[in-house]
Amino acid sequence: MTDSLHVEEQDDRMVVTLDRPERRNAIDQAMVDALHAVCERLEREPRILILTGSDGVFASGADIAELRERTAADAANGINDTIFSRIAALPMPVIAALDGYALGGGAELAYAADLRVGTPRLRIGNPETGLGIIAAAGALWRLPQLVGLPLATELVLTGRVLTGEEALAAGLVSDLFAPGELLTGAHALADRIAANDPLATRLTKQVLREPAERHPAAEREAQAVLFESPEKRRRMTQFLERRSRR
């Protein structure tokens, strides 16, 4: 798609590799623009998205050379948080496959995914205050949802970086794989999702993200749609027929 992303397309998923190895996959404006183009495709043609990085690094952060020159007007435009929120809102699940550094904006991109897997050599965290800024692209509200407020507070105030094992213990990643098996593990997770009804999967993701005051109305509305779905009848009939043959 661009020099900064490598895109592999399959019928039920898209694998997007951040590919700026000379900058440890730092997220610059060109990469942000390319990710918007990916989102446009996946909004029109919903599929699972697997996000990963090249050369044993997910993303070392935002591109500091660009970030240093940004102004208050750029902050108001929310360049990175806009694309991360768009990725989080994609119709189908997003899996982040994390190896090596996932720092600053790279960590915030990972937090925007629905599911995260990693390797033992993963290093993930938000050292932004050491650079004179805050983690303004999702860490200050997504990270507490993922690991709880006490740990999130420690991480963003101290800049402590978690190892892969620490991220697993905190529930920030759901599994660890050897680096050579990371994408295989991510695809196995995608396979389990893809085996389910896509409409039920999309509505499950949608309802999961509804605010508290929308429950249980959101579940009832989604279930009403699914109860009228031919796929629901087909899958349940198939289940009953299998059980009757036992």
Side-chain angles (χ1 to χ4, degrees):
M1 178 172 290
T2 73
D3 290 340
S4 60
L5 292 185
H6 175 74
V7 177
E8 176 193 341
E9 300 199 42
Q10 300 180 21
D11 289 343
D12 60 4
R13 72 198 64 175
M14 182 184 288
V15 181
V16 172
T17 303
L18 311 184
D19 194 18
R20 296 184 72 212
E22 74 285 358
R23 292 289 184 270
R24 292 184 174 179
N25 301 331
I27 300 167
D28 65 354
Q29 184 65 58
M31 186 181 288
V32 167
D33 293 342
L35 287 169
H36 275 295
V38 165
C39 288
E40 183 187 12
R41 288 284 308 280
L42 294 175
E43 288 159 356
R44 286 189 286 108
E45 305 168 17
R47 283 172 283 172
I48 298 163
L49 172 61
I50 297 175
L51 283 170
T52 192
S54 63
D55 278 22
V57 174
F58 182 66
S60 58
D63 190 297
I64 301 301
E66 280 192 2
L67 200 57
R68 183 182 60 182
E69 304 307 317
R70 288 183 180 167
T71 65
D74 294 313
N77 287 331
I79 294 169
N80 284 359
D81 77 77
T82 298
I83 183 56
F84 297 166
S85 291
R86 190 174 184 182
I87 288 169
L90 285 171
M92 289 290 283
V94 179
I95 300 167
L98 309 171
D99 192 14
Y101 294 120
L103 300 175
E108 290 177 302
L109 175 55
Y111 305 155
D114 298 289
L115 299 162
R116 285 157 297 280
V117 294
T119 71
R121 66 187 186 187
L122 170 65
R123 299 295 181 268
I124 186 167
N126 292 92
E128 281 90 341
T129 54
L131 294 170
I133 59 174
I134 67 170
L140 298 185
W141 60 277
R142 287 196 178 100
L143 188 58
Q145 293 174 354
L146 294 171
V147 302
L149 184 58
L151 178 57
T153 300
E154 178 195 344
L155 295 178
V156 298
L157 291 181
T158 67
R160 180 160 78 90
V161 173
L162 298 180
T163 66
E165 292 289 349
E166 289 171 330
L168 180 64
L172 190 53
V173 297
S174 60
D175 209 344
L176 294 180
F177 300 93
E181 299 298 318
L182 178 61
L183 266 183
T184 299
H187 276 293
L189 195 55
D191 288 342
R192 293 182 66 179
I193 295 168
N196 299 324
D197 174 29
L199 179 59
T201 297
R202 289 176 61 178
L203 289 174
T204 296
K205 175 171 176 173
Q206 177 182 311
V207 174
L208 272 171
R209 293 176 176 271
E210 292 280 5
E213 62 269 18
R214 282 278 294 133
H215 300 282
E219 283 85 349
R220 294 171 182 170
E221 292 164 8
Q223 198 74 300
V225 172
L226 292 166
F227 275 9
E228 298 296 326
S229 165
E231 183 66 6
K232 168 245 189 182
R233 179 167 292 276
R234 186 191 73 79
R235 285 174 176 261
M236 289 190 176
T237 300
Q238 189 177 66
F239 173 84
L240 292 170
E241 289 173 349
R242 284 199 306 268
R243 190 172 67 177
S244 69
R245 291 196 293 268
R246 290 175 185 171

